Amino acid sequence: MKYTIRICGEAGQGIQTTGEGFSRLFSSLGYNVFSFQDYESRIRGGHNFYQISFSTEEVYAPKKFLDLVLTFDKKGLEYKNLLSDEGIVIYDANSLKQSESDERFVNCPFREMLKDAGLKNIFENVVSFALVSNIFSIDKKYVYKVIQDIFSDKSEDILEQNMKAIDIGYNFEMKKKIDLPSSNNESKILLDGVKGIGIGAIGSGCKFYAAYPMTPSTGVFQYMGANAEKFNIVVEQAEDELSAINMTLGASFAGVRAMTGTSGGGFALMNEALSLSGMTETPIVILLSQRPGPATGFPTRTEQGELLYAINAGHGDFPRVVFAPGDPLECALLTNKAFDISEKYQIPAIVLTDQHLVDSLCSYEKDLKIDLQNQDYRLRSAEFESYQDYKRHKFLDFSKNNPLHPLAVPGDSRQLVFTDSDEHDEEGHITEDGEVRKKQLERRYFWKIENIRKEISPPKIYGNKNSKIVLVGFGSNLGILREIANNKKLSICAIHYSELFPLPLRENSEEALNNILNAYVTICIENNASGQFQKLIESEYRFKFSNNIRKFDGRPFNYDEVLEGIYAII
Amino acid sequence: MQSYKDFDNGIIPAWCPGCGNFGILDTFKKALFELNIEPHEITLVSGIGQSSKMPHYLKCNGFNGLHGRSLPVATGISVANHKQKVIVFGGDGDTYGEGGNHLLHAFRRNPNITLFVHNNEVYGLTKGQASPTTEFGRHTKAQPFGALSEPLNPLAFAIAMDCSFVARSFSGNLEHLKNIMKMAIMHEGFALVDILQICVSFNKVNNFEWYKDRVYEFKAEYDLADKLRAFEKSQEFGDKIPLGVFYSSARSTFEKNMPIIKENTLVSMQNFPDIKSLIC
């Protein structure tokens, strides 16, 4: 069984809170949950929706067809053509001033019910939340619990009125009832991309986060802020992105793990300092949370249009890594890997996400463990004091396990730490010497790119590995790839890349490459117009995909349209 | 250290013969020596320009970054390790042009950073274009009809923004410069010292003779925290150019305002925390 609910309304009508409420409710009952958000760049008005799918089976991606629409605006009534066979729409004809004769539309006079009970319209969300829960025959005590959790910081009085609103919702006589099969599972937890990245950063020892607010990267900025006190993190809102990344470099140079976050436009402003990170070999992690460009583009929507930009941004030759996690758990793991590689190789690392991933919730087992790999590569205190002949940019020392000279904390020793954006000698001072530059590049570029590449993990393979239809994607399309691989109609092999630059060595990804080479139909799927991922893979591994599926309307792929797309191809 | 010369690192400066920077460099070493500051206790930050090469020519920790971006880097360093003395060197182009926005916000934040601006009223390294402090109407190869923007008054700007220490000195009066430098370094909070500097190659107007006839030392006869009097004094520029401390206020610093680093430095707290409580 699989159900999809869409809650719609204007910005400011509590759509997000209601949607989160349902996500919590179904995950607390042990169902697998996937939810995502669709919203406009405005504070009030417009039309937003929050869509939740829950199931006893795995669920990772948006669905096209809706089993229940709960709408607080007229626009929500237009989703008739998206209703599943048994689908219904819940609305309040009085407050929308529109009545539908179609029997799939169920008029629930929320406001009238509230008025009769002496409650304000603001409890409309809670009444409707309870009413819908009742349609799914959910025991009222679970609904109480969710509402209590959400409004735990509110006064006793407000809480009491909320409970009253739940009772009103449950008392409404509803002909249509759905008996959900029991999930037989323990309650689950929910993570979204924001939390995933935040957990990864905090667990990697991020002690400094500077940013300028920009959708859809602001969530992580605020998550770090919310955890600043508990984990001793300095979180600073910079005057612009130039400042944000330069502050981050300063903090890292001084000895702490540091991160900044932005979206495409802000990342453009950061490009010069990205190159500075490469030149001065100062490790930083940059969150690049994509939205459709160019320029201001679609501020609150989603796209994977900055893959090649992330790989190529910044002037001059310098190494970097670009990781594009596929789900909230990978967000944590790859942010951690970004920090580790960045510190180990003294380079910038980019974590590439998008609006769809940062705003999507996924359920996980309650006892989920996130295993992070951490090692401090820096020279500190006594270790620095006793270090022989420290030079910040010393040429490679092959007598060491890691021949790269370590980063040292300035001030922890009488030895000095100096670096420069100009080409520099071993001590970090300006040079005009061509031979010195060649030796610096030997370390700063050639040695690093060769060794970083060995650390890159192969893509993950889902579904039937022997299938002659292979679907290949990256980043936030992991959910789609996994669900397509799980489909019961068509045997499909799905391959997901999350470590995109450098790409894994051919010899480390033989299995995936063989699956592709042996298939009749190879489809590259991505959320952009130009096929950036396809170009990247094709040029690296020297083969051509037979087909592609691209979407660039600012909305994420849904399962049904991708399956239709594959059918159309074969 | 036995002598200020112990700050020498043996690198020969790439400045023009006769450049005002030589005197500023020497004076800076003397100021540090007299304040009993050791090379490893300071981090020097700079951007791009002739003045930004300063950190290369003495023993210190240093980060020579991008044009205009020295203040954000310095702020990051100072917050991560507030026990380091963070000192920034820049020119009029670096600080007042390319880095103008960062300067404005450094005034607001008030980090414990000393900023020395070598103000020679011209772009030296790029060979003679107008800078934000070049006088109105000055002709250059890039300004064929003369500089058509009014020059910035950095002191008035700083005082208006409540910069917690504002002073002016002159590369031709090194004793004065040394005292101002010492005061600025010891000041707790953001300190701006605008140093009038000779550019022998590209500024033929504001040369030593020009300044010598105009500059005079003053000791404020008003309360240094009196913003209006300080602002009034900062308007004096032309036939008479005052050198001295214009304004000083006891504002709490950015580092002090940040509760997390009230006791320990951020760098001393570097760890890998347990994230179990976040997974819920």
Side-chain angles (χ1 to χ4, degrees):
Chain A
M1 93 24 161
K2 207 172 268 184
Y3 287 97
T4 296
I5 302 176
R6 181 178 285 188
I7 299 133
C8 344
E10 294 175 8
Q13 282 190 318
I15 307 307
Q16 193 182 2
T17 313
T18 313
E20 271 178 31
F22 280 117
S23 306
R24 285 195 196 202
L25 178 66
F26 293 117
S27 61
S28 73
L29 292 167
Y31 295 102
N32 295 310
V33 173
F34 175 83
S35 0
F36 74 101
Q37 298 180 56
D38 184 296
Y39 56 98
E40 296 181 8
S41 182
R42 56 196 293 172
I43 299 164
R44 291 279 181 272
H47 177 74
N48 296 351
F49 69 77
Y50 192 109
Q51 188 168 317
I52 306 116
S53 295
F54 64 98
S55 176
T56 45
E57 297 149 40
E58 294 180 343
V59 54
Y60 306 112
K63 303 287 171 293
K64 183 172 177 180
F65 298 105
L66 311 171
D67 299 298
L68 191 146
V69 173
L70 167 62
T71 186
F72 298 102
D73 70 356
K74 277 185 192 173
K75 177 101 173 138
L77 299 171
E78 294 170 18
Y79 293 129
K80 200 156 128 181
N81 57 337
L82 293 179
L83 285 181
S84 65
D85 297 345
E86 300 277 304
I88 54 167
V89 178
I90 307 288
Y91 75 116
D92 182 343
N94 258 342
S95 84
L96 297 189
K97 297 185 182 69
Q98 187 167 327
S99 186
E100 296 286 329
S101 52
D102 189 324
E103 62 176 20
R104 293 180 297 172
F105 287 72
V106 185
N107 177 21
C108 302
F110 302 127
R111 294 199 176 176
E112 209 177 290
M113 285 148 64
L114 286 168
K115 201 175 164 193
D116 291 347
L119 290 176
K120 289 179 187 156
N121 285 345
I122 197 168
F123 293 98
E124 196 172 27
N125 301 98
V126 179
V127 175
S128 59
F129 180 65
L131 187 143
V132 170
S133 304
N134 192 28
I135 294 176
F136 287 103
S137 316
I138 291 163
D139 193 324
K140 198 158 69 174
K141 70 178 180 197
Y142 297 109
V143 178
Y144 281 143
K145 174 82 172 59
V146 167
I147 295 297
Q148 255 163 3
D149 287 351
I150 292 176
F151 297 106
S152 60
D153 58 342
K154 295 280 191 292
S155 71
E156 197 74 16
D157 185 42
I158 301 249
L159 217 55
E160 206 171 289
Q161 293 187 59
N162 272 306
M163 296 304 139
K164 206 167 150 190
I166 294 173
D167 291 340
I168 298 169
Y170 264 83
N171 289 341
F172 185 78
E173 204 177 317
M174 201 72 199
K175 281 184 206 136
K176 168 94 181 174
K177 282 268 194 174
I178 298 165
D179 273 321
L180 287 183
S182 158
S183 74
N184 290 328
N185 282 321
E186 264 195 77
S187 77
K188 293 189 187 315
I189 59 158
L190 292 166
L191 293 179
D192 58 13
V194 166
K195 216 169 168 181
I197 293 159
I199 289 172
I202 293 168
S204 303
C206 177
K207 285 282 167 273
F208 184 89
Y209 192 100
Y212 187 89
M214 184 171 186
T215 306
S217 66
T218 314
V220 173
F221 181 23
Q222 295 186 155
Y223 185 83
M224 298 303 280
N227 287 288
E229 198 174 354
K230 190 173 172 193
F231 292 96
N232 293 319
I233 306 164
V234 168
V235 178
E236 175 62 0
Q237 181 170 325
E239 55 271 25
D240 53 33
E241 287 84 352
L242 308 166
S243 178
I245 187 168
N246 278 284
M247 278 188 191
T248 305
L249 283 164
S252 175
F253 176 75
V256 301
R257 291 195 167 192
M259 180 171 177
T260 182
T262 186
S263 188
F267 183 69
L269 293 178
M270 291 185 179
N271 278 199
E272 192 187 17
L274 172 69
S275 171
L276 177 66
S277 164
M279 182 54 138
T280 58
E281 303 179 76
T282 308
I284 53 166
V285 175
I286 304 165
L287 165 67
L288 170 52
S289 198
Q290 300 164 104
R291 65 195 217 186
T296 308
F298 253 164
T300 60
R301 311 228 168 256
T302 201
E303 196 158 284
Q304 296 179 307
E306 277 143 32
L307 173 63
L308 293 181
Y309 182 38
I311 289 170
N312 294 301
H315 54 295
D317 290 325
F318 62 94
R320 80 193 73 195
V321 291
V322 179
F323 296 150
D327 63 11
L329 177 59
E330 264 198 11
C331 279
L333 297 173
L334 285 175
T335 301
N336 173 241
K337 187 166 181 176
F339 267 103
D340 189 64
I341 295 271
S342 160
E343 291 281 328
K344 185 173 179 185
Y345 292 96
Q346 306 171 15
I347 57 160
I350 298 167
V351 177
L352 189 68
T353 60
D354 50 41
Q355 180 270 329
H356 179 55
L357 178 54
V358 294
D359 288 335
S360 291
L361 277 171
C362 279
S363 59
Y364 293 92
E365 299 303 322
K366 206 175 180 179
D367 57 356
L368 174 75
K369 294 222 167 22
I370 303 181
D371 286 323
L372 304 183
Q373 305 298 317
N374 286 314
Q375 185 184 335
D376 188 5
Y377 301 96
R378 305 212 187 196
L379 274 181
R380 298 176 194 275
S381 318
E383 210 192 338
F384 182 22
E385 190 66 70
S386 60
Y387 197 88
Q388 294 300 304
D389 189 26
Y390 184 80
K391 286 183 179 133
R392 171 68 193 92
H393 298 288
K394 203 169 180 177
F395 300 139
L396 288 173
D397 180 359
F398 287 104
S399 67
K400 299 264 165 54
N401 177 31
N402 179 358
L404 209 56
H405 211 55
L407 282 158
V409 176
D412 273 11
S413 152
R414 287 187 164 271
Q415 304 195 76
L416 302 171
V417 187
F418 201 99
T419 193
D420 188 6
S421 67
D422 293 87
E423 190 54 86
H424 41 258
D425 61 18
E426 288 185 282
E427 283 178 336
H429 290 298
I430 301 180
T431 185
E432 300 280 351
D433 188 323
E435 289 306 310
V436 170
R437 176 173 168 83
K438 275 160 70 184
K439 288 197 90 165
Q440 289 291 16
L441 279 166
E442 187 186 304
R443 191 195 73 249
R444 195 172 68 217
Y445 185 70
F446 294 107
W447 183 85
K448 287 186 183 180
I449 55 163
E450 190 189 327
N451 285 280
I452 291 166
R453 201 149 184 212
K454 295 175 193 157
E455 311 243 11
I456 301 301
S457 308
K460 291 201 173 72
I461 306 169
Y462 300 92
N464 176 8
K465 293 185 178 176
N466 299 316
S467 172
K468 296 297 171 197
I469 307 169
V470 177
L471 185 65
V472 186
F474 81 100
S476 64
N477 279 333
L478 174 62
I480 281 290
L481 291 167
R482 292 184 77 173
E483 283 213 25
I484 291 289
N486 283 350
N487 93 86
K488 293 186 178 71
K489 295 174 192 160
L490 204 59
S491 161
I492 293 175
C493 170
I495 298 175
H496 178 258
Y497 281 82
S498 54
E499 299 183 24
L500 290 150
F501 192 81
L503 278 169
L505 286 165
R506 184 176 278 274
E507 59 257 38
N508 290 345
S509 39
E510 294 271 353
E511 192 184 4
L513 293 174
N514 283 339
N515 288 347
I516 295 171
L517 291 175
N518 294 330
Y520 299 138
V521 180
T522 52
I523 307 164
C524 188
I525 179 169
E526 58 193 303
N527 283 95
N528 63 56
S530 63
Q532 301 187 14
F533 175 61
Q534 182 171 352
K535 282 179 196 160
L536 183 73
I537 295 287
E538 286 182 345
S539 66
E540 180 66 36
Y541 298 114
R542 309 279 163 141
F543 69 85
K544 292 273 176 207
F545 285 98
S546 66
N547 300 83
N548 64 60
I549 298 176
R550 293 178 194 163
K551 188 171 184 177
F552 39 87
D553 58 359
R555 274 71 177 173
F557 281 113
N558 65 63
Y559 168 80
D560 308 87
E561 72 180 349
V562 174
L563 200 58
E564 284 164 26
I566 296 170
Y567 269 112
I569 288 168
I570 59 173
Chain B
M1 287 200 150
Q2 303 298 309
S3 145
Y4 77 93
K5 289 195 170 150
D6 292 341
F7 273 100
D8 290 357
N9 65 358
I11 297 175
I12 299 161
W15 294 320
C16 313
C19 176
N21 282 335
F22 287 102
I24 299 174
L25 172 63
D26 223 38
T27 305
F28 179 58
K29 289 178 191 168
K30 285 179 185 162
L32 291 174
F33 178 71
E34 287 177 22
L35 290 171
N36 219 3
I37 293 171
E38 301 272 332
H40 69 283
E41 293 169 338
I42 51 170
T43 300
L44 266 48
V45 183
S46 64
I48 298 301
Q50 289 294 60
S51 56
S52 288
K53 292 177 181 167
M54 275 285 281
H56 288 281
Y57 305 142
L58 73 151
K59 287 181 185 160
C60 63
N61 296 303
F63 191 107
N64 179 184
L66 299 171
H67 192 44
R69 314 293 161 223
S70 49
L71 285 173
V73 171
T75 305
I77 294 171
S78 188
V79 169
N81 186 357
H82 61 265
K83 290 201 173 142
Q84 277 282 300
K85 196 105 224 162
V86 182
I87 300 166
V88 177
F89 283 93
D92 34 331
D94 196 49
T95 314
Y96 304 140
E98 190 89 23
N101 195 30
H102 307 311
L103 180 65
L104 160 62
H105 294 277
F107 291 149
R108 291 180 53 226
R109 278 190 191 96
N110 197 33
N112 193 16
I113 291 170
T114 313
L115 168 63
F116 294 115
V117 182
H118 301 206
N119 180 3
N120 57 12
E121 299 169 45
V122 74
Y123 278 64
L125 193 53
T126 53
K127 304 198 165 130
Q129 303 81 8
S131 90
T133 53
T134 301
E135 67 176 334
F136 188 89
R138 173 85 55 84
H139 285 256
T140 82
K141 281 184 185 165
Q143 279 78 30
F145 308 108
L148 301 179
S149 298
E150 287 292 341
L152 178 84
N153 180 337
L155 304 192
F157 177 36
I159 294 161
M161 288 302 299
D162 207 12
C163 173
S164 65
F165 183 92
V166 183
R168 179 192 286 131
S169 192
F170 172 45
S171 69
N173 185 347
L174 297 177
E175 197 52 34
H176 183 266
L177 177 62
K178 189 179 76 183
N179 289 330
I180 294 279
M181 278 185 155
K182 283 163 72 176
M183 274 192 269
I185 292 167
M186 293 317 288
H187 172 79
E188 200 179 335
F190 188 61
L192 167 69
V193 181
D194 188 68
I195 306 168
L196 300 173
Q197 182 219 346
I198 315 293
C199 178
V200 290
S201 299
F202 293 105
N203 192 339
K204 304 294 185 196
V205 179
N206 310 107
N207 57 19
F208 184 75
E209 295 303 315
W210 189 91
Y211 279 119
K212 210 186 68 178
D213 294 343
R214 288 167 173 80
V215 295
Y216 74 95
E217 289 181 38
F218 82 101
K219 203 165 173 349
E221 281 163 6
Y222 52 86
D223 176 2
L224 277 175
D226 187 334
K227 205 172 176 179
L228 290 179
R229 296 289 300 277
F231 192 83
E232 193 181 5
K233 188 74 188 167
S234 74
Q235 299 306 301
E236 197 182 319
F237 193 92
D239 291 342
K240 287 283 171 202
I241 303 173
L243 305 178
V245 181
F246 285 69
Y247 183 66
S248 179
S249 74
R251 282 172 62 196
S252 176
T253 65
F254 182 55
E255 295 82 349
K256 286 229 161 106
N257 292 337
M258 185 69 73
I260 289 151
I261 52 172
K262 264 223 153 78
E263 280 160 28
N264 300 312
T265 60
L266 194 63
V267 68
S268 70
M269 290 186 265
Q270 182 65 62
N271 65 346
F272 301 116
D274 190 344
I275 47 165
K276 223 178 284 165
S277 66
L278 296 173
I279 308 168
C280 57

